[in-house]
Amino acid sequence: MDWRWNAVCTDTLAQRDPQITTDGAGGAIIAWRDGRNGNDDIFAQRINSLGNVLWTSNGVAICNADESQWDPQLATDGSSGAIIAWQDSRSNYWDVYAQRIDADSVVQWASDGAEISTAAGNQDEPQITSDGDGGAIITWQDNRSDADYDTFACRINDYLVPTLLRSCFASYEEPAITITWTLSEIDVGIRFSILRKQLPQETFRKIQNPVIEQSGLFFICADRSCRPGSTYLYRVEVQYEETRRFLFETDPICVPVTFISLNQNYPNPSNPGTTMTFTLPEKAQVNLSVYNMEGKLVRTLVNESMDGGLKEITWDGRNNQGNPVGSGIYLYRLKAGNRILMKKMVHLKWSLPRC
């Protein structure tokens, strides 16, 4: 015995159900169920051949999502890291999630893990083994049919891309961002979801009713709603029957500004405030003002030099003297350099209800 009884984690509350796999360098990676935050989460630690911990004291958080995460299972990724799978109740049912962590304790996939199976019913008691090529094969028991449990399995590579993805690409060509992908195989009934995130926002939002064209195993989708001066990320998910899974995510794509534009304010009608957005192709002296229908100036919102890009300005429904204006139709006028653009908006004066 070279060493014994070395502490891997001694944090508060309970640490249970440890599982272990080799790190391929004489040491090991250990994952366990951890109660330090109140709910059960998944933590992990790497130790070397002498039993010394190599990562943060008391372990690295693999998942601390809402509700409970149980039954961690792990397999080596062949690069001194590991792929960890567990059953997860954040949806109030048991699902299967996974995370890859590299040799330096950096998680590689989505925060709090990536969905492996979130079908109806429960998916639990996952098991995992290395595929010998940096990925893993995960299996679990599954009662999505509301009858007896069945057994399902999924193979993922080291980037969490199902092996059916052959290639993917995204680019901007006026007037749209185009996303393309090619599969190595396809099943009848397969469907895709396109999600978009406008940086620096942190949340992906599903594009409603995207037009996806198919030619054999090749797919293409064009997003014509992108705004000049904005940067976007896209995520494509594949769904078959009741199972939805991450397929790929694009690099950030910047939409260049080639012209001045003034967008419709939102909300419209305003009550009590509203937001106006516009784009500039380059640095310019900008004046954005609100006028009444008689052409009289109500409020100067911007009067300064601004760099090119997408701009967002809020009007609080007050005039230059700080007083609320009455309900009615107003004009907002953008002057940038020698270009002038104007739009109408409806303002509803906000008032407290009478008792």
Side-chain angles (χ1 to χ4, degrees):
M1 182 180 295
D2 293 332
W3 44 268
R4 63 178 182 175
W5 301 345
N6 286 21
V8 174
C9 178
T10 58
D11 211 312
T12 57
L13 299 181
Q15 287 78 44
R16 294 174 288 185
D17 303 333
Q19 299 291 321
I20 190 169
T21 190
T22 178
D23 68 356
I29 296 175
I30 301 169
W32 64 89
R33 177 160 58 114
D34 194 300
R36 72 183 72 177
N37 295 321
N39 292 329
D40 286 315
D41 301 317
I42 305 297
F43 277 71
Q45 180 62 270
R46 183 183 177 193
I47 58 175
N48 64 15
S49 60
L50 300 177
N52 300 318
V53 297
L54 300 179
W55 295 344
T56 302
S57 176
N58 288 324
V60 175
I62 301 300
C63 178
N64 53 18
D66 293 339
E67 302 302 329
S68 294
Q69 290 77 44
W70 284 13
D71 196 17
Q73 303 290 322
L74 68 167
T76 179
D77 67 356
S79 300
S80 297
I83 298 174
I84 304 171
W86 64 89
Q87 64 184 61
D88 192 302
S89 68
R90 70 184 73 177
S91 69
N92 295 319
Y93 288 91
W94 287 117
D95 300 313
V96 177
Y97 279 71
Q99 180 63 269
R100 182 185 176 207
I101 187 167
D102 70 11
D104 297 318
S105 77
V106 179
V107 294
Q108 301 296 298
W109 298 339
S111 176
D112 287 329
E115 298 174 358
I116 300 301
S117 178
T118 57
N122 290 311
Q123 292 82 50
D124 50 30
E125 298 191 13
Q127 298 290 321
I128 188 171
T129 188
S130 170
D131 68 356
D133 194 30
I137 298 172
I138 303 171
T139 186
W140 62 91
Q141 65 179 27
D142 192 306
N143 78 335
R144 69 185 67 185
S145 64
D146 288 329
D148 293 333
Y149 273 93
D150 300 312
T151 298
F152 281 70
C154 173
R155 183 185 180 192
I156 53 177
N157 68 16
D158 53 346
Y159 293 101
L160 192 62
V161 180
T163 54
L164 57 82
L165 180 66
R166 180 179 295 170
S167 64
C168 58
F169 184 73
S171 64
Y172 175 76
E173 291 186 15
E174 192 174 357
I177 292 176
T178 301
I179 307 105
T180 64
W181 63 97
T182 304
L183 304 183
S184 59
E185 59 185 77
I186 190 169
D187 292 317
V188 175
I190 197 170
R191 302 189 303 276
F192 299 97
S193 295
I194 312 295
L195 296 89
R196 186 180 77 176
K197 176 168 67 174
Q198 182 177 343
L199 299 179
Q201 296 174 357
E202 297 182 355
T203 303
F204 278 96
R205 296 181 179 178
K206 188 175 181 179
I207 296 178
Q208 299 299 320
N209 303 315
V211 177
I212 301 175
E213 300 179 15
Q214 178 183 357
S215 177
L217 298 174
F218 176 80
F219 297 83
I220 183 169
C221 179
D223 178 15
R224 292 180 172 83
S225 65
C226 49
R227 292 183 174 183
S230 298
T231 300
Y232 298 94
L233 285 177
Y234 292 85
R235 176 182 293 170
V236 178
E237 297 179 346
V238 59
Q239 184 168 343
Y240 181 70
E241 294 181 344
E242 298 299 324
T243 300
R244 187 181 76 252
R245 187 180 304 135
F246 172 92
L247 187 62
F248 68 90
E249 188 173 300
T250 70
D251 292 328
I253 302 170
C254 180
V255 181
V257 178
T258 58
F259 55 90
I260 295 173
S261 66
L262 177 63
N263 302 311
Q264 188 63 52
N265 65 299
Y266 62 92
N268 187 32
S270 60
N271 184 9
T274 190
T275 298
M276 306 158 196
T277 60
F278 57 92
T279 54
L280 303 173
E282 58 188 1
K283 187 174 183 178
Q285 183 66 32
V286 174
N287 181 280
L288 178 65
S289 297
V290 178
Y291 295 83
N292 63 24
M293 292 302 292
E294 297 177 354
K296 294 181 179 180
L297 177 66
V298 174
R299 177 76 175 271
T300 299
L301 299 172
V302 176
N303 189 22
E304 62 183 66
S305 178
M306 303 184 79
D307 292 330
L310 177 66
K311 311 299 177 182
E312 185 175 287
I313 305 296
T314 299
W315 179 43
D316 60 5
R318 297 177 181 271
N319 60 23
N320 280 333
Q321 289 72 46
N323 300 317
V325 302
S327 299
I329 298 175
Y330 291 83
L331 303 173
Y332 57 104
R333 175 181 178 270
L334 171 69
K335 182 179 181 182
N338 59 2
R339 291 288 308 278
I340 297 176
L341 299 173
M342 186 178 298
K343 287 186 178 291
K344 291 182 180 180
M345 64 177 168
V346 177
H347 175 70
L348 299 178
K349 184 177 180 180
W350 180 83
S351 60
L352 291 172
R354 294 183 178 180
C355 298

